[in-house]
Amino acid sequence: MAKSIQAQAAAQIRKKMKEAGIKASVTSFQASMCDGVRIYCQESDLAKAEQINEICMPYQYGHFNGMEDIYEYSNMSDHIPQVKFVSVSYHG
């Protein structure tokens, strides 16, 4: 059975983070009308936040517009697996 899109995105993010020397827990999820990837980094990686965002955020195909209460498809790419939400958290 083939991996889901969110699992493919998580696997690619995990690989790129490892190549960059950033230790992180990367998991995928799926819910009603929603899919995504959660990335948990060590607090010490906060100094690399810009690099982490450069690695992770291309995998999110849009963003939520709270002013109009809509999801906007602003980052679509056919070259990588993309999900609705990519969340990066830092913990100690």
Side-chain angles (χ1 to χ4, degrees):
M1 184 164 83
K3 283 185 178 180
S4 65
I5 294 295
Q6 62 271 18
Q8 292 174 40
Q12 287 188 18
I13 291 170
R14 191 177 301 110
K15 180 181 176 190
K16 288 184 177 188
M17 296 282 275
K18 186 175 182 179
E19 289 170 355
I22 300 168
K23 293 182 181 180
S25 169
V26 182
T27 60
S28 63
F29 68 92
Q30 182 174 8
S32 177
M33 297 176 53
C34 179
D35 60 4
V37 176
R38 292 184 184 108
I39 299 104
Y40 297 99
C41 299
Q42 294 297 319
E43 193 69 39
S44 60
D45 289 329
L46 194 53
K48 299 178 183 179
E50 188 174 322
Q51 181 183 12
I52 291 168
N53 282 336
E54 286 177 13
I55 292 169
C56 301
M57 297 321 289
Y59 291 90
Q60 181 171 303
Y61 56 71
H63 66 280
F64 182 74
N65 176 340
M67 294 296 290
E68 297 179 36
D69 197 26
I70 60 172
Y71 189 87
E72 296 180 344
Y73 299 89
S74 57
N75 190 39
M76 300 289 288
S77 174
D78 293 332
H79 305 293
I80 58 174
Q82 291 183 301
V83 294
K84 195 168 195 171
F85 295 105
V86 173
S87 169
V88 180
S89 300
Y90 298 89
H91 59 89

